[in-house]
Amino acid sequence: MNELVKLTHLEGIAVITIDNPPVNALSPGVPEGILNSIQAAAHDPAVKAVVVIGAGSTFIAGADIREFQKMTAGEKPRLTLHPTLLAIEDSPKPVVMAIHGQALGGGMEVSMAGHYRVIAASAQVGQPEVKLGIIPGAGGTQRLPRLAGVAKALEMCAFGEPITAQEALALGIVDRIIDGDLEGDLLAGAVAFAREVADRPAPKTRERKEKLGAVDSAIFSASRDTARKTRRGQPAPLAAIDAVEASTKLPFEEGCQLEAKLFNECLYSTQSKSLIHAFFGERAVNKIPDIPKGTTTYEIRRAAVIGAGTMGGGIAMNYANSGIPVILKETTQEALDRGLATIRKNYTNSVQKGRFPQAVMDERMALITPQLNYAGFDQADIIVEAVFEGMALKKQVFGEIDAIAKPACILASNTSTLDIDEIASATKRPKMVIGHHFFSPANVMRLLEVVRGKATSKEVIATSMALGKRLKKVAVLAGNCRGFIGNRMLAPYFREAQFLIEEGASVEDVNQTLYDFGWAMGPLAVSDLAGLDVGWRIRKEYRHLEKPGVRIPRVADRLCELGRFGQKTGRGFSKYDANRMPSPDPETAALIEAVAREAGIQRRRITQEEIVDRCLFALVNEGAKLLGEGIALRAVDIDIVYLNGYGFPPWRGGPMFYADTVGLAKVLARIQEFEARHGSDLWSPAPLLQRLAQDGRTFGDFDRQSANQASA
Ligand code: T1G
């Protein structure tokens, strides 16, 4: 009993309530409070049974992850869950766990130490630790196989997805679903259940063996294969598989010792630090220093999207998926039909994969109103423009919607590079204009880059950030500059990839090296996928901005002049067969040599290390420049952009976090080396990077300092 854990009584039933908002994490004091309460109940003759329940919106969301950051930063560990779990399990009075919201990680482990579990119908349970680069560390890999069977425990611990209350009941993890969502329904149901079992034996999960027998060991190697394929570069899923396998071979205590050893190995790994950085980063990006919590937001009940192309169609699906009716406007029936067909195909795929039933598809399709005019746009609360990436057309469209839309309607552009202020200048309401930059495929990619113009109001920004969460996106705020955060940084990354092939690396070298680094795809492969013509069109629009005498990559332009736009034309940097499988293209190799000869470039052998450093440090240096300019609020915002929009390896934490793990002094030295070789027009070190490196500080320090200044 303490301020985090309360012990009350309901006619012979002791009720232990965990009250550590917002998610009842097992912060220091909570395990101790539970332990004291269990011991008090054990010694209280009036108590027949015990119920453990969480206050607020959830049961227990796991260990306090902040404590892990302190531990890996060198602080003495303060988490002591095992003694509490054994005390629960050895309680002479039956302990009933009452689960609502989520029972995750340590929360799931606490629930499994109980003798019985009841659950609200809408609750979820799971062991998501691998998503943080660790494994269950309090017996989860030993108790879950005993409750759910080895195969399911393996899947849950190795891949971290939660399961529903209904699945948990079917698996025997929980004993009863308590209906009713009213406050108190769960407690009443749990207390009633506790009365029923008060005189029954209290089954200890750790002593259960019935589900451990007759396991086909092939499931472990199959699971390892899946983990190696789908969780490339991540040791935690493999460690979780080892621990669950141990539950079928070792006694409980020894299984827990092996689990603890594997847990610690994972916890102190760079992968785990990176994934925990990303976890808190996704929560930090919501906080905008000059837009306080409680800023008024506009209600979004109806939406409209202009353009039913790849992006427009995906954007409309996001609104329909969140239950918001959306008009989808195109200029020709043919284009509209094509857009709708793509939407229908995407939904049909999801139904066929069992993600949701046909009825849900029908509901969502019914929320999308396709049309060829602006009818109903005057009722929209937000209009998203997703037309061709040209300034003239975008300004024309914004002029049109400005004349139709109601005063409180937000006008958003899905532009990926263009000037938001110039687009807003086509309207009489620049304060209502903002960038909503979705990523292709827009119905899948989690990132939403929200771009504030100089006139954009705080209410419109606050509404956009909240809308991002409602559309199940990770919204990151960016300032207005060419390419905002993501695409601005991508330009020097792609530039270096092209320079490297001009200087001697092969297309395959560059792609494979960045793939091995952990990217979902190499940069030249991404360009071929996105279509070389997209960048070509933008480069042609900005030719006037190119500085005379400054080296620019030539290969992509030459390929485009030959009509080779990548996958869509079967040839680009690589050649593609009918299944879009890439292979080296000797003609591209010859073209690269010709470009190098014309530019007087002496081709040479290029190491993988140079490929990684030139591409990654070009990214980091540009990131440090836009951080210094305030285009990104925090270094972690840049990391979240790259993790959710550009396929940056999650277990590296993002480009800025990666730079911190390398060490900014080393990064700066390497950049200065490249500056000396390739010139300062391409490689002038960012002032912020220079300052931090010289002061022995990190981008993480920069963010902490900004946060302290903001809260001061
Ligand atoms: N520890 C510390 N803080 C946490 C936390 C946790 N486990 N979970 C959430 N928070 C903070 C979060 O940073 C945010 O703070 C606020 O709570 C609300 O969270 C021993 C080793 C439960 C599904 O991986 O998945 O147990 O930004 O915005 O959208 O074996 O939080 O307001 O300052 O996410 O409603 C395993 C992590 C830990 C679950 C709720 N557990 N949490 O989502 O709210 S490892 C997890 C979540 C472990 C054991 C092992 C989600 C949620 P702030 P939120 P939400």
Side-chain angles (χ1 to χ4, degrees), residues 61-301:
D64 186 329
I65 305 168
R66 295 249 177 245
E67 289 298 312
F68 294 143
Q69 288 187 311
K70 294 176 189 161
M71 286 163 69
T72 54
E75 278 190 33
K76 195 169 144 320
R78 296 192 298 162
L79 290 179
T80 54
L81 206 45
H82 274 297
T84 299
L85 302 189
L86 291 174
I88 293 170
E89 208 162 38
D90 295 338
S91 159
K93 319 277 175 72
V95 178
V96 177
M97 296 291 169
I99 301 167
H100 72 301
Q102 291 94 12
L104 299 175
M108 178 71 175
E109 291 166 310
V110 167
S111 79
M112 294 191 290
H115 305 115
Y116 300 97
R117 283 149 293 280
V118 298
I119 191 166
S122 57
Q124 291 191 317
V125 301
Q127 303 277 183
E129 287 89 344
V130 285
K131 295 183 179 178
L132 300 169
I134 51 180
I135 69 169
T141 63
Q142 306 305 304
R143 286 195 174 88
L144 188 56
R146 287 168 164 80
L147 276 182
V150 175
K152 191 64 186 180
L154 195 57
E155 181 199 311
M156 290 173 71
C157 292
F159 301 103
E161 294 309 319
I163 62 172
T164 63
Q166 293 68 24
E167 286 173 289
L169 182 69
L171 286 160
I173 294 174
V174 302
D175 303 281
R176 181 176 297 169
I177 290 182
I178 306 292
D179 293 322
D181 283 331
L182 294 179
E183 178 85 15
D185 283 352
L186 176 67
L187 180 59
V191 168
F193 185 93
R195 291 193 199 292
E196 284 173 37
V197 299
D199 306 321
R200 284 195 218 153
K204 299 181 180 181
T205 305
R206 72 173 187 269
E207 292 171 357
R208 296 170 72 151
K209 295 199 173 29
E210 68 275 16
K211 291 190 178 175
L212 287 181
V215 176
D216 173 358
S217 60
I219 61 168
F220 299 115
S221 46
S223 193
R224 288 188 178 95
D225 293 348
T226 309
R228 288 196 187 96
K229 266 201 228 89
T230 62
R231 304 290 188 281
R232 208 161 48 90
Q234 303 190 41
L238 297 169
I241 296 166
D242 293 349
V244 171
E245 184 172 22
S247 74
T248 64
K249 296 198 170 102
L250 300 174
F252 178 81
E253 285 70 21
E254 287 174 42
C256 284
Q257 283 151 19
L258 176 73
E259 177 195 86
K261 174 178 162 300
L262 294 167
F263 171 81
N264 278 312
E265 284 166 10
C266 289
L267 181 63
Y268 289 88
S269 69
T270 309
Q271 281 89 352
S272 175
K273 291 176 190 152
S274 304
L275 290 163
I276 289 177
H277 166 78
F279 174 84
F280 286 118
E282 265 192 39
R283 276 102 190 140
V285 292
N286 289 326
K287 302 178 175 80
I288 316 294
D290 67 331
I291 301 188
K293 248 196 176 132
T295 298
T296 314
T297 57
Y298 294 92
E299 207 179 347
I300 307 294
R301 287 161 303 218

